[in-house]
Amino acid sequence: MKRRSSLLVTLLLSLSLFNVIPSVMAQEKEGTSTEQPKEEPTEDDFDYTIDLEPFLPGDGTPDSIFIEDPDAGGPPNPLSWRVELRNQLEFLSNVDQLQTSQGDGVNRAILSGALRYTFPTNTQILVRPQFFFFKYFSVKDRDQIVGSFSLNLSQWFFNRLNVYVGWLPILLSSVCSQKSVSRFDHDFLGGLTFYHLFSREDLLFTGYQADYLLAEVAESRNLGHTLLAGYRREITPDLFLFADVRGQFRGFKSFVDEMRFGLGATLQWHVFRPWFIIETRADFTQVVNITTPEKNVSLFTLGFNLVGGVQSK
């Protein structure tokens, strides 16, 4: 299958995924068919219904790993950890990302952990295991379990520019009544993200990432390029508004076979920082598939998330 769902956008995503907190924030303030499947699902029938794009945005994005305390005094702890449980209730306008596909509701339970070490040179190592369970309300034989373990190395320059490389092994298993399908893929990535803090309340971030998905299913292997720009507004010390736009270009047999253009907005309320967060997010993605016109679709996602977690001080 040549598709990968993009819930941003959301591990944005959607949205999600794999983030570090820039030291600038610590120093300055700190996204099936209408008929039921008639055949048993095959390996190609399943692809990621989670955004596993491992961008490394920091506190400027809605899916930052660590929840920093802006009032904490003294230098940050070089070793940080966090364990988080997220329940994500969403409506997807198009489950299989085909013109004939139906929409459905889905409940996503996500258990993740993160361990980060920061060296005196502002070099960071991030280890992040994640486990996802997807339960669809109406569409049959699309429930999934996804496990991933990411290892990222990043370097900060001038407290504004973050350059990183990473490796993401992904284990995907279907949970269906007809046939169990399992895959083990690897995603290799590299990129950079730039942050500009206009004021205490306003942060702009932009980035580029290249990644190669070495999938077990040969048709899913691809080279991707992603451009991202986003804005964070601190409405109150515990209420944040995020907006982002993204362009993604993927090549399966040629340099570019599929393009995705997306935009999203998130409202996030830190009810009890850093233990409990409530957020809602809306995403729109336009898919342009050069080789397969029936995959040219518009995707809309609306979700409500409850996030609970514990972390180091």
Side-chain angles (χ1 to χ4, degrees):
M1 182 61 70
K2 297 182 180 179
R3 62 184 185 272
R4 295 177 73 197
S5 293
S6 186
L7 302 178
L8 275 155
V9 144
T10 8
L11 204 201
L12 279 201
L13 356 243
S14 57
L15 126 176
S16 261
L17 207 238
F18 302 82
N19 318 295
V20 293
I21 300 301
S23 56
V24 58
M25 302 304 299
Q27 294 182 8
E28 297 192 21
K29 197 278 189 189
E30 280 218 323
T32 95
S33 109
T34 54
E35 298 180 356
Q36 299 299 338
K38 297 180 180 180
E39 300 179 355
E40 291 186 353
T42 65
E43 303 235 354
D44 285 351
D45 288 324
F46 291 91
D47 224 321
Y48 306 118
T49 52
I50 177 176
D51 184 6
L52 288 172
E53 300 306 328
F55 258 102
L56 289 172
D59 201 33
T61 66
D63 55 341
S64 299
I65 296 178
F66 298 97
I67 309 302
E68 306 290 1
D69 183 1
D71 299 321
N77 191 333
L79 183 63
S80 303
W81 59 267
R82 179 173 173 85
V83 178
E84 185 176 278
L85 178 62
R86 173 186 294 257
N87 193 76
Q88 202 164 293
L89 185 63
E90 292 183 334
F91 171 76
L92 310 178
S93 65
N94 191 307
V95 174
D96 286 335
Q97 300 185 33
L98 297 171
Q99 293 179 356
T100 58
S101 178
Q102 71 183 70
D104 197 8
V106 57
N107 191 77
R108 308 167 185 267
I110 306 171
L111 177 63
S112 62
L115 180 65
R116 180 189 65 191
Y117 186 82
T118 304
F119 293 90
T121 57
N122 231 1
T123 305
Q124 293 180 328
I125 295 178
L126 175 67
V127 178
R128 191 182 190 192
Q130 291 183 293
F131 303 92
F132 310 82
F133 175 70
F134 306 87
K135 177 63 179 178
Y136 289 86
F137 292 172
S138 300
V139 177
K140 296 183 180 297
D141 299 324
R142 284 298 182 269
D143 298 342
Q144 296 179 9
I145 295 176
V146 178
S148 68
F149 182 90
S150 65
L151 177 63
N152 294 276
L153 175 67
S154 66
Q155 176 65 54
W156 285 97
F157 298 95
F158 315 111
N159 295 324
R160 291 292 183 274
L161 178 64
N162 181 246
V163 180
Y164 61 89
V165 293
W167 168 56
L168 176 65
I170 308 163
L171 177 62
L172 167 69
S173 179
S174 66
V175 184
C176 56
S177 58
Q178 298 183 18
K179 181 181 179 180
S180 179
V181 175
S182 296
R183 283 173 50 179
F184 185 57
D185 301 339
H186 301 266
D187 203 8
F188 302 93
L189 58 121
L192 53 87
T193 311
F194 176 79
Y195 304 86
H196 182 68
L197 193 63
F198 290 97
S199 67
R200 173 179 176 139
E201 295 83 14
D202 300 282
L203 175 70
L204 177 69
F205 54 93
T206 183
Y208 165 78
Q209 177 178 282
D211 74 289
Y212 177 69
L213 178 66
L214 181 60
E216 188 173 328
V217 177
E219 291 185 354
S220 294
R221 296 173 185 172
N222 64 85
L223 176 64
H225 302 270
T226 306
L227 298 171
L228 171 71
Y231 169 75
R232 187 210 68 178
R233 171 68 181 180
E234 181 183 307
I235 303 174
T236 72
D238 294 313
L239 186 64
F240 300 88
L241 176 65
F242 304 85
D244 57 80
V245 294
R246 173 177 294 203
Q248 186 182 73
F249 310 88
R250 292 205 166 273
F252 297 86
K253 294 182 179 180
S254 60
F255 183 71
V256 176
D257 295 301
E258 181 183 87
M259 299 178 290
R260 292 173 179 260
F261 305 97
L263 55 88
T266 300
L267 186 63
Q268 188 179 87
W269 178 26
H270 294 204
V271 183
F272 300 109
R273 185 195 302 263
W275 304 292
F276 183 54
I277 298 171
I278 298 175
E279 67 180 26
T280 182
R281 179 170 177 85
D283 276 296
F284 174 81
T285 302
Q286 180 63 48
V287 181
V288 180
N289 194 296
I290 299 174
T291 59
T292 313
E294 57 267 27
K295 295 181 181 179
N296 294 338
V297 294
S298 298
L299 309 174
F300 178 73
T301 303
L302 180 63
F304 178 77
N305 304 327
L306 299 175
V307 184
V310 293
Q311 69 180 47
S312 59
K313 294 183 179 181

